[in-house]
Amino acid sequence: VRDLIGSAEVLGQAMSPSAAALMVADLEGIPLTVIRQALRSIRSNYKGRLTFPVIRERVLEQDGRPGRDEAWALALQSIDERESVVWTAEIQPALEAARPVLDAGDKIGARMAFLSAYDRLLQSARDTMKPCEWAVSIGWDGDRRALAVDTAVRLGRIPVERALAIGCDQNQAISADGRAIV
């Protein structure tokens, strides 16, 4: 509550404790660190009134899901069965929606279909405040798998324990890269 009222004051408006309490109740279930980061972003980059939709938009921007173009790149990468891909729950169904167009050879049309489906799935997930879920689609190339999983760990998309459960030891991934350089 204190952070909300203080943020409103920084933006030049007054907010009653009861209004702040309502907003806090609406943000229930979202980690406090995410809310504080969103408020910090609003204080430094926003010029309008502090409203719940403004806060919600900033919170949702920080949900960890990739943007449209990155999601499309991950979807395209997944088509090669040798590649391992770490992607969100929204990317795979969006790719399936675009696959008939892609299979017909129309990459531009497939991208448009993918983006439309991804936007719809993303909006649905965000409307229900569904947390971002990263999944690993394992390809047959072990070195590529280690690289994909290592990258996902470094980006904070999956924990190290999950990488180990998949069978990718971080040190092995690094030594495989070292072997490639040699």
Side-chain angles (χ1 to χ4, degrees):
V1 173
R2 190 189 86 226
D3 290 339
L4 280 171
I5 293 172
S7 294
E9 288 177 6
V10 167
L11 294 171
Q13 74 187 64
M15 180 180 290
S16 70
S18 59
L22 282 174
M23 286 188 187
V24 166
D26 289 341
L27 294 167
E28 186 178 339
I30 299 170
L32 187 57
T33 56
V34 172
I35 295 169
R36 284 188 171 142
Q37 190 174 5
L39 289 172
R40 193 174 305 117
S41 172
I42 290 167
R43 288 191 303 268
S44 63
N45 300 317
Y46 187 71
K47 302 276 188 238
R49 289 186 50 80
L50 182 63
T51 62
F52 179 74
V54 170
I55 297 168
R56 184 175 180 277
E57 181 181 321
R58 295 295 169 106
V59 164
L60 294 178
E61 287 173 357
Q62 299 173 35
D63 70 357
R65 289 178 172 87
R68 304 167 85 217
D69 295 326
E70 184 180 359
W72 173 242
L74 288 170
L76 280 181
Q77 183 181 358
S78 75
I79 293 170
D80 183 349
E81 291 186 14
R82 128 188 118 130
E83 294 289 339
S84 293
V85 179
V86 181
W87 56 4
T88 65
E90 296 78 26
I91 297 173
Q92 183 178 10
L95 176 61
E96 292 310 313
R99 191 172 296 276
V101 181
L102 190 60
D103 290 345
D106 182 0
K107 214 172 192 179
I108 294 171
R111 183 176 189 278
M112 291 170 56
F114 173 86
L115 294 178
S116 177
Y118 183 69
D119 288 345
R120 187 178 61 255
L121 292 163
L122 197 62
Q123 188 64 48
S124 174
R126 287 178 170 170
D127 284 347
T128 60
M129 302 288 242
K130 180 181 173 191
C132 180
E133 297 173 22
W134 289 93
V136 181
S137 174
I138 298 175
W140 59 261
D141 186 324
D143 287 338
R144 304 291 299 163
R145 181 181 321 119
L147 181 62
V149 171
D150 180 56
T151 300
V153 169
R154 278 188 287 114
L155 292 174
R157 294 177 173 172
I158 63 172
V160 172
E161 297 78 21
R162 191 156 162 210
L164 294 172
I166 294 169
C168 295
D169 183 356
Q170 303 256 213
N171 294 328
Q172 287 177 344
I174 293 168
S175 62
D177 288 344
R179 284 194 309 269
I181 292 171
V182 170

